[in-house]
Amino acid sequence: MYVVTWVVGLTGGIGSGKSAAADLFAAHGAAVIDTDAIAHDLTKPGGGAMPLIRAGFGDGVAAADGALDRAAMRAVVFADPPARKRLEAILHPLIREESERQLAAAATPYAILVVPLLIEAGDYRKRVNRIAVVDCAEATQIARVMSRSGLARPEIERILAAQATRAQRLAAADDVIDNDGELAALAPQIERLHGNYLALAQRLG
Ligand code: ADP
């Protein structure tokens, strides 16, 4: 069985503040399952996806420590665009399986499932009971990602262009978390949503 607990899909564009919002839900005691963190675990040294990735793409995409060599993988995908689909075909079922395992283990009335590309990936939308979108202006996303990662603006703009638009995300949202302002403005919004989710989970779960 998949949904053993009531699940809120938490999404938002790069740098919108998903992790910041997820941390606040966790502080209220909600189980937080982060598909990005799972993807990282799967591709770290000894990660569950690495044998399949090495078999599919060769040892050249593994670093000396056995983790995924992201730069090498990016080069493979750049030279051969369909390789991205092959990589996703390896990773996505493993991510889904692990998130299902963690959801099943969540002993809380509701769980937060963080899925950066929730709007883009149609199948996750069917798996969640509700969609919460962390929202801010694109200019804010760019400024945050520049200061967090040191990526250059054109590279960030390319990432943004490949993601759903702000309008598409807002159209899919059941709840909108406004994170265009100070970080301190996030806490009261999460507190209110936490109360709503507890009530909804008890009523509908
Ligand atoms: P995401 O998980 O959506 O990519 P993060 O939660 O990691 O976004 O936030 C991106 C960066 O912006 C982080 O460095 C974070 O500390 C910072 N940040 C998030 N929200 C705010 C805010 N309201 N004000 C200032 N900085 C913020």
Side-chain angles (χ1 to χ4, degrees), residues 4 8 16 25 45 48 66 72 84 87 100 103 115 133 160 173 181 184 189 205:
V4 295
V8 179
S16 59
F25 280 111
R84 178 186 299 281
L87 178 64
E100 286 176 17
L103 281 170
V115 187
V133 167
L160 281 177
Q189 298 181 72

Side-chain angles (χ1 to χ4, degrees), residues 13 64 128 135 147 184 197:
V128 299
D135 178 63
S147 73
Y197 295 159

Side-chain angles (χ1 to χ4, degrees), residues 12-37:
I14 183 170
S16 59
K18 292 179 294 295
S19 305
D23 288 350
L24 288 166
F25 280 111
H28 283 288
V32 172
I33 293 131
D34 184 335
T35 54
D36 243 9

Side-chain angles (χ1 to χ4, degrees), residues 99-177:
S99 54
E100 286 176 17
R101 197 192 62 70
Q102 292 188 18
L103 281 170
T108 51
Y110 78 92
I112 298 283
L113 182 64
V114 186
V115 187
L117 299 182
L118 181 82
I119 308 301
E120 295 84 342
D123 56 342
Y124 273 106
R125 288 177 71 159
K126 294 190 224 96
R127 287 166 176 277
V128 299
N129 300 88
R130 200 169 175 92
I131 296 177
V133 167
V134 184
D135 178 63
C136 67
E138 287 196 351
T140 311
Q141 288 178 266
I142 292 169
R144 284 187 192 145
V145 177
M146 280 176 82
S147 73
R148 175 182 63 182
S149 65
L151 284 180
R153 177 181 290 270
E155 197 162 344
I156 301 168
E157 283 172 347
R158 262 199 301 281
I159 295 171
L160 281 177
Q163 297 190 340
T165 62
R166 188 178 184 188
Q168 284 168 332
R169 262 189 224 101
L170 291 174
D174 296 300
D175 301 301
V176 176
I177 299 163

